[in-house]
Amino acid sequence: MAVSASFLDFAKETFAPFGVISARRMFGGAGLYCDDLFFAIVDDDAVYLKADDETRGEFEAACLAPFTYEMKNGSISSMSYYGAPEAIFDDADALRNWTTLALDAARRAALFKKKPAGKKKARKKAAR
């Protein structure tokens, strides 16, 4: 994974209309967050948008490739992120459509994240 600082800045500016955009470097690439929702990966100066069971079909219908990476054992693994269509960089409607799909998938994923064990215990004690 690798991403140039200039492309990362460009990606952050592209998605700025949707909320507070931040980036966290990881393995040479970066994760993009909108209002603390992890919705995109930037790698090799390309953007990959989050998908889930509800939206994956739209990414596949548009023939967008999934984000893949090589594991230590040499096998290839993929994540639920798909290459963003080039149109998002030139067409406001396309940007809104695809970004909304990614943000909706990120919101659904956030709902299913496990609560830290410490918080569950604290709530149980408070309920007694």
Side-chain angles (χ1 to χ4, degrees):
M1 288 179 76
V3 62
S4 68
S6 61
F7 187 82
L8 187 55
D9 287 342
F10 170 72
K12 287 167 56 177
E13 288 174 22
T14 298
F15 296 108
F18 299 92
V20 176
I21 305 298
S22 60
R24 294 182 191 152
R25 293 272 182 176
M26 54 185 204
F27 309 111
L32 284 184
Y33 295 77
C34 179
D35 299 330
D36 296 323
L37 289 171
F38 183 24
F39 79 102
I41 294 173
V42 181
D43 181 43
D44 288 331
D45 291 349
V47 175
Y48 296 85
L49 298 171
K50 183 153 185 66
D52 64 6
D53 290 341
E54 290 188 36
T55 60
R56 185 172 293 107
E58 294 196 47
F59 287 90
E60 291 172 347
C63 298
L64 299 170
F67 175 76
T68 60
Y69 59 96
E70 187 174 350
M71 304 288 288
K72 287 182 182 179
N73 66 6
S75 66
I76 301 296
S77 187
S78 64
M79 296 174 67
S80 291
Y81 291 81
Y82 285 77
E86 289 296 318
I88 71 166
F89 301 109
D90 301 321
D91 180 337
D93 290 334
L95 175 63
R96 183 174 37 262
N97 177 59
W98 290 100
T99 303
T100 299
L101 291 174
L103 289 171
D104 287 348
R107 283 185 194 95
R108 285 189 291 273
L111 291 175
F112 291 106
K113 280 191 175 181
K114 291 183 178 179
K115 303 283 184 203
K119 289 185 179 181
K120 281 185 180 178
K121 288 179 184 177
R123 280 187 285 194
K124 284 182 182 178
K125 286 181 183 180
R128 290 184 189 170

